């Protein structure tokens, strides 16, 4: 498995904290406005940012910060489609293989350095460079020669990225991709300042003065474990449209504390991707005038380590999947109007099995125990991990009870802090682990692509199927006929569901509370929050 530089990211956080600390907490009750007229927006996250380098971003909290500080050619609009950010114009060939991005005039990094097409080429090749060790490099594999270069089998000059002139970036893909303009909105496609990185090396993100982006905001300070402060970037190309002057991001692990701070008007917004409304407060939150629900393209699931002796058995995996009472978890634990997931693609909502099908689950368990030489269900113990969060704990406890009641097997649950938890799963030190996935672009294949790479950072299950990969490849030939493409993607989904390396629980929604002093705030269909678009009354 490719190793990401999590240790470096953590080192960067520590260095930033040491350099600029003591920014204080939140002074309550000002509704986001200060006496001097400065407009302040206050949110919270559950832990320190795992990855400050946009080339390494793999989780929603890192992406939340990257989406404010760094700039891509496009950004995600409310409906999940691509809007223009650094790009003034986007064109593609009829077969979607060749894409041409024309940059806007006057693009600058936050330090005033000019941005040219060559900077985007440098940034993307940097992500693909094997020395960067980006676990997210496969998100660029759409590009011709990208995978070969990243795997050390090709050269940088063979990658299909050309800076035709200062304003024109031409990209040649391996195969046609009608969603490529949406894909480039993800942080790993952000532009970074070559001059700054080469002058500071791998430690370039250790200090605010060298943490240079070109997004709507720049890093003012980072007090480790307490607070991140962002300031409006006056060099951002659309700075005149940005209303919020200062963003304060509190780092608070406990969701109930966050909720109480919101009620005390110390926070302006609570909801994914910033934080979550506590499950035990969901009924109360729904009764508040500040409550708002956003549609979302996401799944809540349990990844399964298929290299594990027990979980490597497909019948055991199916038994666990079938024995979960999803509707009960939604009604009595999650309480967010989610939809039981019996497939893994939210856009399709396919039913590959019945929810809480105990009889079939028992049959699968019997087959699995026979193949593994296990005599009794009580002799089976599985380990379930989740990242520290009260809501995830309650869902894990509900699943634990389902498996005990319906199958007679034991499940031991444990939790780890987010950054540690990510490494645990990515290193394969687990049997069953909770995760969520929000689409990076509207193409249904985004819920399948991660399983094409056995050692990919987003796979984590070690599952691989040549038949599955071939089906995805066939689907990628039919961007001219999306009905045909969807049919092939459903066939690919059926292949993975037959093996169950990931156990779906529910398709999610985003439940939020927003202070009435906020006039405009949108969560995109893909779960993005762009603070540049937030407006206060």
């Amino acid at each position: 498995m490719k190793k990401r530089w999590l240790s470096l990211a953590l080192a960067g956080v520590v260095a930033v904290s040491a350099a600029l600390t003591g920014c204080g907490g939140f002074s309550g009750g000002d509704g986001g406005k200060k006496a001097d007229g400065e407009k302040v927006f206050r949110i919270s996250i559950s832990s320190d940012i795992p990855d400050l380098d946009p080339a390494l971003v793999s989780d929603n909290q890192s992406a939340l910060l990257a989406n404010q500080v760094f700039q891509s050619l496009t950004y995600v609009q409310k409906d999940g489609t691509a809007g223009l950010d650094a790009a003034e114009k986007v064109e593609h060939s009829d077969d979607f293989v060749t894409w041409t991005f024309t940059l806007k005039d006057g693009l600058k990094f936050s330090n005033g350095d000019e941005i040219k097409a060559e900077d985007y080429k440098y940034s993307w090749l940097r992500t693909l460079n094997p020395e960067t060790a980006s676990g997210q490099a496969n998100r660029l594999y759409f590009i011709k020669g990208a995978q070969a270069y990243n795997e050390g089998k090709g050269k940088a000059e063979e990658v299909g990225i050309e800076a035709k002139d200062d304003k024109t970036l031409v990209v040649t893909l391996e195969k046609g991709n009608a969603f490529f303009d949406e894909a480039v909105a993800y942080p790993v496609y952000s532009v970074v300042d070559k001059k700054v990185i080469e002058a500071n090396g791998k430690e370039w993100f250790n200090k605010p003065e060298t943490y240079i982006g070109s997004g709507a905001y720049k890093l003012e300070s980072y007090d480790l474990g307490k607070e991140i402060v962002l300031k409006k970037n006056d060099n951002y190309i659309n700075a005149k449209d940005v209303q919020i002057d200062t963003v304060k991001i509190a780092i608070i692990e406990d969701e109930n504390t966050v909720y109480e701070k919101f009620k005390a008007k110390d926070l302006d917004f609570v909801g994914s991707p910033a934080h979550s409304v506590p499950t035990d407060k969901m009924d109360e939150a729904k009764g508040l005038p500040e409550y708002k629900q956003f549609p979302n393209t996401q799944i809540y699931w349990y990844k399964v380590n298929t290299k594990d002796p027990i979980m490597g058995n497909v019948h055991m995996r199916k038994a666990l999947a079938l024995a979960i009472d999803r509707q009960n978890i939604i009604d009595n634990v999650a309480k967010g109007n989610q939809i039981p997931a019996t497939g893994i693609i939210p856009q399709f909502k396919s039913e590959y099995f019945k929810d809480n099908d105990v009889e079939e689950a028992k049959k699968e368990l019997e087959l699995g125990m026979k193949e593994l030489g296990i005599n009794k269900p009580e002799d089976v113990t599985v380990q379930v991990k989740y990242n520290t969060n009260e809501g995830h704990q309650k869902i894990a406890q509900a699943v634990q009870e389902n498996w005990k009641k319906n199958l007679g097997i034991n499940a031991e649950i444990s939790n780890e802090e987010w950054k540690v938890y990510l490494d645990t799963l990515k290193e394969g030190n687990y049997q069953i682990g909770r995760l969520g996935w929000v689409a990076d672009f509207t193409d249904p294949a985004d819920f399948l692509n991660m399983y094409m790479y056995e050692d990919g950072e987003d796979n984590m299950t070690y599952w691989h199927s040549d038949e599955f990969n071939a089906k995805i490849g066939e689907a990628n030939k039919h961007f001219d006929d999306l009905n045909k493409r969807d049919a092939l993607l459903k066939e690919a989904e059926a292949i993975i569901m037959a093996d169950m390396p990931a156990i779906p629980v529910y398709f999610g929604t985003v439940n939020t509370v927003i202070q009435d002093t906020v006039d405009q705030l949108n969560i995109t269909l893909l779960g993005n929050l762009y603070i540049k678009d937030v407006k206060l009354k």
Side-chain angles (χ1 to χ4, degrees):
M1 176 176 286
K2 295 174 184 174
K3 296 287 289 295
R4 63 185 186 136
W5 287 342
L6 181 59
S7 58
L8 286 177
L10 290 174
V13 169
V14 172
V16 170
S17 176
L20 288 171
T21 58
C23 299
F26 288 97
S27 56
D30 65 2
K33 296 182 182 179
K34 296 176 69 175
D36 59 4
E38 181 186 19
K39 293 188 175 180
V40 182
F41 185 65
R42 305 156 305 164
I43 60 176
S44 68
I45 56 177
S46 61
S47 66
D48 285 303
I49 301 295
D51 291 313
L52 293 170
D53 186 338
L56 308 180
V57 166
S58 64
D59 69 291
N60 65 345
Q61 294 198 156
S62 299
L64 173 64
L65 179 64
N67 282 335
Q68 319 315 320
V69 176
F70 296 93
Q71 184 182 37
S72 297
L73 293 163
T74 64
Y75 76 102
V76 180
Q77 299 183 108
K78 185 178 179 181
D79 65 356
T81 59
L84 299 178
D85 199 356
E88 178 182 75
K89 183 171 59 174
V90 179
E91 301 169 291
H92 60 77
S93 58
D94 291 341
D95 60 3
F96 297 99
V97 170
T98 303
W99 288 76
T100 302
F101 299 89
T102 303
L103 274 58
K104 293 176 179 176
D105 291 326
L107 291 173
K108 293 181 180 179
F109 288 105
S110 56
N111 62 357
D113 289 347
E114 185 180 359
I115 297 175
K116 301 178 181 180
E118 187 65 36
D119 293 301
Y120 273 94
K121 178 178 179 179
Y122 162 79
S123 302
W124 295 6
L125 289 176
R126 175 179 171 270
T127 298
L128 290 169
N129 189 329
E131 293 184 4
T132 303
S134 170
Q136 298 300 302
N138 60 26
R139 293 179 184 268
L140 281 75
Y141 284 4
F142 300 117
I143 303 171
K144 183 178 180 180
Q147 182 172 359
Y149 174 51
N150 182 241
E151 294 178 348
K153 301 173 183 177
K155 300 177 181 179
E157 51 267 31
E158 296 171 341
V159 179
I161 307 170
E162 177 190 1
K164 194 171 182 179
D165 54 45
D166 287 350
K167 287 189 60 179
T168 310
L169 186 74
V170 180
V171 185
T172 304
L173 307 185
E174 291 281 2
K175 300 175 181 177
N177 183 343
F179 298 91
F180 187 63
D181 58 337
E182 297 178 17
V184 300
Y186 196 75
V188 293
Y189 285 92
S190 299
V191 64
V192 293
D193 194 332
K194 178 181 179 181
K195 184 171 68 176
V196 170
I197 293 176
E198 289 187 343
N200 294 277
K202 296 175 182 177
E203 308 300 310
W204 70 275
F205 48 76
N206 279 358
K207 297 178 294 184
E209 57 264 33
T210 60
Y211 191 55
I212 302 300
S214 61
Y217 294 92
K218 57 186 178 180
L219 180 65
E220 174 79 5
S221 61
Y222 191 154
D223 193 354
L224 182 65
K226 295 182 180 179
E227 184 182 58
I228 299 169
V229 178
L230 306 179
K231 289 288 187 180
K232 180 178 174 179
N233 172 22
D234 291 332
N235 284 317
Y236 174 54
I237 189 66
N238 297 318
K240 62 179 176 57
D241 299 322
V242 177
Q243 188 192 87
I244 304 299
D245 301 299
T246 300
V247 182
K248 291 189 174 184
I249 307 173
I251 301 170
I252 306 170
E253 183 176 292
D254 182 62
E255 287 184 339
N256 285 292
T257 300
V258 170
Y259 185 72
E260 292 304 317
K261 281 186 172 291
F262 175 85
K263 290 172 64 178
K265 298 189 181 298
D266 288 341
L267 294 172
D268 295 307
F269 166 77
V270 177
S272 179
H275 224 300
S276 299
V277 176
T279 55
D280 61 351
K281 300 292 185 181
M282 192 65 73
D283 290 335
E284 175 186 319
K286 288 178 180 178
L288 298 176
E290 297 90 348
Y291 172 79
K292 185 174 184 180
Q293 185 178 88
F294 293 88
N296 199 238
T297 307
Q298 64 170 272
I299 186 171
Y300 191 105
W301 54 12
Y302 284 96
K303 294 290 186 85
V304 181
N305 184 351
T306 61
K307 286 188 175 181
D308 177 80
I310 293 177
M311 300 318 303
N313 184 279
V314 64
H315 298 295
M316 298 299 288
R317 298 196 296 269
K318 286 184 175 181
L320 297 181
L322 294 168
I324 296 175
D325 189 343
R326 292 161 178 79
Q327 192 62 59
N328 180 66
I329 289 173
I330 291 167
D331 292 342
N332 298 299
V333 182
K335 300 181 180 180
N337 301 321
Q338 297 90 349
I339 299 171
T342 53
I344 62 172
I345 300 179
Q347 293 95 322
F348 296 160
K349 296 180 177 62
S350 301
E351 296 184 11
Y352 292 97
F353 56 87
K354 287 198 311 182
D355 180 30
N356 194 33
D357 192 344
V358 178
E359 292 307 311
E360 284 300 316
K362 288 179 177 179
K363 293 176 183 178
E364 292 289 348
L365 178 64
E366 185 176 346
L367 289 171
M369 290 193 304
K370 183 177 181 180
E371 291 182 0
L372 292 170
I374 299 173
N375 297 320
K376 304 186 296 293
E378 54 264 37
D379 292 335
V380 178
T381 299
V382 295
Q383 308 291 328
V384 179
K385 291 183 178 290
Y386 62 93
N387 56 295
T388 304
N389 174 284
E390 187 174 348
H392 300 329
Q393 178 186 22
K394 289 181 178 179
I395 292 174
Q397 289 171 338
V399 170
Q400 178 187 45
E401 291 172 5
N402 286 166
W403 291 344
K404 185 67 175 179
K405 174 185 175 182
N406 295 335
L407 299 176
I409 70 172
N410 305 300
E412 297 177 353
I413 62 176
S414 62
N415 63 293
E416 294 176 336
E417 190 272 331
W418 180 238
K419 296 187 298 293
V420 176
Y421 179 71
L422 282 178
D423 260 6
T424 295
L425 266 60
K426 290 175 181 180
E427 295 297 332
N429 298 323
Y430 80 105
Q431 282 187 305
I432 303 166
R434 181 225 76 88
L435 279 172
W437 185 262
V438 183
D440 296 325
F441 41 91
T442 55
D443 182 11
D446 194 48
F447 290 87
L448 302 174
N449 289 338
M450 71 190 82
Y451 297 105
M452 295 181 69
Y453 311 103
E454 181 178 351
D455 63 347
E457 189 173 85
D458 292 324
N459 185 332
M460 303 184 194
T461 69
Y462 301 101
W463 181 85
H464 177 80
S465 165
D466 291 337
E467 181 186 6
F468 172 84
N469 284 8
K471 196 66 68 174
I472 298 293
E474 182 65 22
N476 287 338
K477 298 176 183 178
H478 293 282
F479 283 107
D480 59 336
D481 184 348
L482 293 183
N483 288 329
K484 174 67 173 178
R485 176 176 168 77
D486 284 353
L488 288 164
L489 292 177
K490 288 180 181 180
E491 291 178 21
E493 182 186 28
I495 293 170
I496 197 169
M497 291 305 298
D499 269 2
M500 206 71 71
I503 298 173
V505 181
Y506 59 69
F507 298 128
T509 53
V510 177
N511 297 274
T512 71
V513 284
I514 307 170
Q515 297 291 1
D516 59 10
T517 52
V518 177
D519 187 47
Q520 175 181 308
L521 182 150
N522 290 315
I523 305 296
T524 76
L525 188 63
L526 306 185
N528 310 84
L529 169 63
Y530 293 101
I531 299 172
K532 66 183 178 67
D533 296 329
V534 173
K535 308 292 183 186
L536 300 179
K537 294 179 180 177

